Amino acid sequence: FMHIDTNNLEKPIFLQIAEQIEDSIFTGVYGEEERIPSTNEIAALLNINPHTVLKGVNLLVEEDILYKKRGLGMFVKEGAREKIRNKRKNAFFEQYIERLIQEAGKLQMTKEQVIELIERGYAHDSLT
């Protein structure tokens, strides 16, 4: 279910937990309005402090992806998957597209040349 890298110095454990839960929602492991495992269940499974798990879960509550049903636990909010998709599209643009365009500019490539490379990448991908 979840894999946490405790040796990763760049990404805190609570952030890894939030990302893993978010990914599980995005890939359909947890559907909208479905309960996710409790903080204590996750903590026991990963052998980490429940407070660390809670910190990660609270991040997703702040992002409007999870909500608490008093006495029942944390649930995936309706519309969470679409919210995650939009968040990831924005991150994709910032991490890849903006850098791609900057690098293409340094290489003095035209928009058409960049598109040609992307199309070649898709064609190559469809062969495998």
Side-chain angles (χ1 to χ4, degrees):
F1 152 73
M2 282 204 233
H3 172 72
I4 302 300
D5 181 2
T6 53
N7 296 319
N8 186 338
L9 301 176
E10 292 178 25
K11 194 172 284 185
I13 293 172
F14 78 92
L15 204 53
Q16 291 182 55
I17 289 167
E19 287 175 355
Q20 294 272 324
I21 294 170
E22 183 181 280
D23 199 57
S24 294
I25 294 166
F26 189 66
T27 58
V29 174
Y30 302 114
E32 295 183 356
E33 297 302 326
E34 192 175 321
R35 183 185 168 279
I36 66 163
S38 74
T39 301
N40 289 333
E41 288 169 333
I42 296 171
L45 183 72
L46 300 173
N47 199 24
I48 55 176
N49 188 321
H51 183 71
T52 304
V53 176
L54 184 60
K55 197 171 173 183
V57 167
N58 282 339
L59 257 181
L60 296 177
V61 170
E62 288 169 22
E63 291 181 15
D64 229 18
I65 290 168
L66 295 176
Y67 70 97
K68 185 174 188 163
K69 280 188 184 176
R70 198 171 171 90
L72 296 175
M74 289 293 186
F75 286 75
V76 178
K77 201 160 194 177
E78 192 173 321
R81 237 174 134 185
E82 192 56 33
K83 194 166 284 194
I84 294 167
R85 182 185 318 283
N86 290 333
K87 176 182 164 185
R88 288 184 174 195
K89 279 182 183 177
N90 291 334
F92 180 82
F93 180 80
E94 291 167 6
Q95 290 174 3
Y96 300 104
I97 304 302
E98 285 181 346
R99 288 186 189 161
L100 171 85
I101 292 169
Q102 286 173 356
E103 188 63 22
K106 290 177 191 171
L107 295 169
Q108 298 177 334
M109 293 175 68
T110 65
K111 176 181 166 183
E112 290 73 24
Q113 289 171 318
V114 172
I115 291 170
E116 186 181 310
L117 286 178
I118 291 169
E119 287 173 345
R120 187 183 342 154
Y122 272 105
H124 182 267
D125 194 47
S126 68
L127 297 175
T128 54

